[in-house]
């Protein structure tokens, strides 16, 4: 069995020796509203696409990465499908509608309507939320990258990975940013970038 495992991992064994950068905090996905691993992924996506706002799905896979060196293997564990980074134009109203739908899928009163368990991840935005409110009315206020209230009719340039992050019924002018997710992470760690995380604030 040990031989079979060694044979299976041989093609990627070098990834564990290739340093991508370092982290001063544990990167994990163990929390429902936001998580450090996704904060890093979102910062990399936004950096690759030249946006202030980015979305990804609320995934739960990926072993925690302890403080210290981060390898190429770690980056592939963060997002092993390495989907392309894409951009889309969303209105403020669409952003709120999309997030309301995701909050309902996570916190529906009817447990049979709950799906996923983790809220969609994002950066460049902040939301004041009352989870006990009825569907479609949980977000009390939504704030953009500059800290001002999102304008419902204004268009916002957004980066994302996968249709789970930004479903196809939302937005216009979808385009490829010309980089995959792992390449974006590698570039971001190479610049020693910092995260600008978005947050859901329970009010």
């Amino acid at each position: 069995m040990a031989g079979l495992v060694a044979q299976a991992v041989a093609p990627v064994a070098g990834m564990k020796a290739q340093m991508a950068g370092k982290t001063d905090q544990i990167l994990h996905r163990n929390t429902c509203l936001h998580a450090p691993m996704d904060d890093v992924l979102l910062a990399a996506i936004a950096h690759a696409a030249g946006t202030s706002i980015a979305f990804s799905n609320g995934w739960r896979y990926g072993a925690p990465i302890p403080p210290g060196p981060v390898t190429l293997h770690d980056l592939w564990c963060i997002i092993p499908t390495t989907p392309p980074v894409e951009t889309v134009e969303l209105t403020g109203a669409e952003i709120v509608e999309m997030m309301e739908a995701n909050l309902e899928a996570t916190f529906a009163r009817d447990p049979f309507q709950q799906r996923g368990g983790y809220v969609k991840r994002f950066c460049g935005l902040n939301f004041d939320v009352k989870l006990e409110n009825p569907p479609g009315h949980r977000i009390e206020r939504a704030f953009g990258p500059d800290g001002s209230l999102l304008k419902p009719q204004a268009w916002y340039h957004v980066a994302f990975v996968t249709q789970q992050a930004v479903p196809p019924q939302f937005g216009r002018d979808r385009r490829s940013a010309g980089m995959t997710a792992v390449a974006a992470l590698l570039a971001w760690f190479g610049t020693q970038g910092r995260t600008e995380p978005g947050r859901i604030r329970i009010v």
Side-chain angles (χ1 to χ4, degrees):
M1 181 57 71
L4 290 172
V5 171
Q7 182 180 0
V9 302
V12 297
M15 290 184 181
K16 291 188 176 181
Q18 184 175 340
M19 293 297 109
K22 61 183 179 180
T23 177
D24 59 3
Q25 62 175 324
I26 185 171
L27 303 180
H28 66 79
R29 284 190 171 122
N30 298 336
T31 41
C32 174
L33 297 180
H34 55 81
M37 184 177 286
D38 291 309
D39 287 343
V40 165
L41 174 60
L42 291 159
I45 293 168
H47 181 264
T51 70
S52 298
I53 301 173
F55 288 98
S56 70
N57 191 52
W59 294 297
R60 287 179 283 183
Y61 56 70
I65 301 168
V70 178
T71 68
L72 181 59
H73 179 267
D74 291 326
L75 303 188
W76 279 91
C77 290
I78 291 174
I79 187 162
T81 56
T82 192
V85 178
E86 299 179 76
T87 61
V88 65
E89 304 294 321
L90 297 173
T91 66
E94 285 181 310
I95 290 172
V96 171
E97 180 185 353
M98 184 175 71
M99 290 303 300
E100 285 280 11
N102 186 251
L103 289 169
E104 171 62 11
T106 308
F107 298 107
R109 286 185 64 185
D110 181 353
F112 291 102
Q113 298 301 315
Q114 295 175 7
R115 302 182 299 280
Y118 280 15
V119 173
K120 187 190 306 290
R121 309 309 199 187
F122 56 89
C123 70
L125 301 165
N126 287 288
F127 301 94
D128 290 345
V129 172
K130 286 189 176 178
L131 296 179
E132 68 273 18
N133 282 3
H137 300 279
R138 290 187 171 91
I139 295 175
E140 299 271 293
R141 294 191 300 176
F143 301 89
D146 62 358
S148 64
L149 290 171
L150 280 186
K151 298 176 177 63
Q153 303 306 317
W155 291 93
Y156 296 88
H157 191 49
V158 172
F160 70 100
V161 285
T162 78
Q163 291 188 3
Q164 293 165 300
V166 180
Q169 66 266 33
F170 295 106
R172 68 181 187 187
D173 196 22
R174 290 178 178 240
R175 298 187 180 189
S176 171
M179 188 177 291
T180 63
V182 168
L185 281 163
L186 190 59
W188 184 82
F189 272 103
T191 64
Q192 293 297 306
R194 297 182 60 83
T195 60
E196 297 289 342
R199 291 291 182 257
I200 286 178
R201 299 182 292 234
I202 307 301
V203 296

